């Protein structure tokens, strides 16, 4: 998985590319832990993300909990496969998806 970060003051956009699974979730978690303390607005761009597993969902939940306390989080450009995972798991009720 590839993570492209763009920061403007306290706004962070992370564009994910590839698969967010057991192998790559720790990479995203480490990047979020490094970046979130200085972030008030987090945007996750899933335009190039092909797949998400339960390990990836766990990292998203962690990020959402942090951002609930210090700002906002939006997930954009979700494909049909990932949207279905969000719907089945109830994450569509937890996350702000645009």
């Amino acid at each position: 998985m590839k993570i492209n970060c763009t920061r403007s003051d306290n706004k962070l956009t992370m564009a994910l590319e590839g698969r967010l699974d057991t192998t790559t979730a720790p990479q995203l978690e480490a990047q979020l832990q490094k970046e979130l303390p200085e972030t008030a607005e987090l945007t996750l761009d899933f335009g190039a993300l092909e797949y998400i597993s339960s390990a990836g969902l766990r990292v998203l939940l962690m990020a959402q909990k942090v951002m609930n306390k210090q700002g906002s989080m939006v997930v954009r450009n979700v494909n049909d496969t990932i949207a279905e995972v969000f719907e089945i798991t109830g994450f569509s009720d937890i996350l702000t998806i645009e």
Side-chain angles (χ1 to χ4, degrees):
M1 179 181 68
K2 189 174 175 188
I3 303 171
N4 296 310
C5 293
T6 309
R7 179 175 287 284
S8 174
D9 296 323
N10 62 356
K11 297 178 183 180
L12 175 65
T13 299
M14 297 178 92
L16 307 184
E17 192 176 319
R19 297 170 57 90
L20 180 52
D21 55 24
T22 307
T23 307
T24 59
Q27 175 189 356
L28 177 59
E29 185 171 14
Q31 188 77 33
L32 284 167
Q33 287 176 343
K34 184 176 110 182
E35 300 280 355
L36 287 187
E38 303 165 11
T39 303
E41 292 180 36
L42 173 62
T43 301
L44 296 173
D45 186 341
F46 282 10
L49 191 68
E50 302 162 5
Y51 172 83
I52 189 166
S53 74
S54 59
L57 293 175
R58 183 186 62 75
V59 175
L60 287 184
L61 186 59
M62 177 275 301
Q64 184 65 65
K65 285 181 178 178
V66 170
M67 293 312 298
N68 282 345
K69 295 176 185 168
Q70 68 189 43
S72 63
M73 179 173 126
V74 174
V75 181
R76 292 203 169 115
N77 302 319
V78 177
N79 69 31
D80 291 342
T81 304
I82 294 173
E84 186 177 352
V85 171
F86 286 166
E87 193 64 39
I88 291 169
T89 59
F91 271 66
S92 55
D93 298 329
I94 298 169
L95 303 175
T96 301
I97 302 169
E98 295 180 351

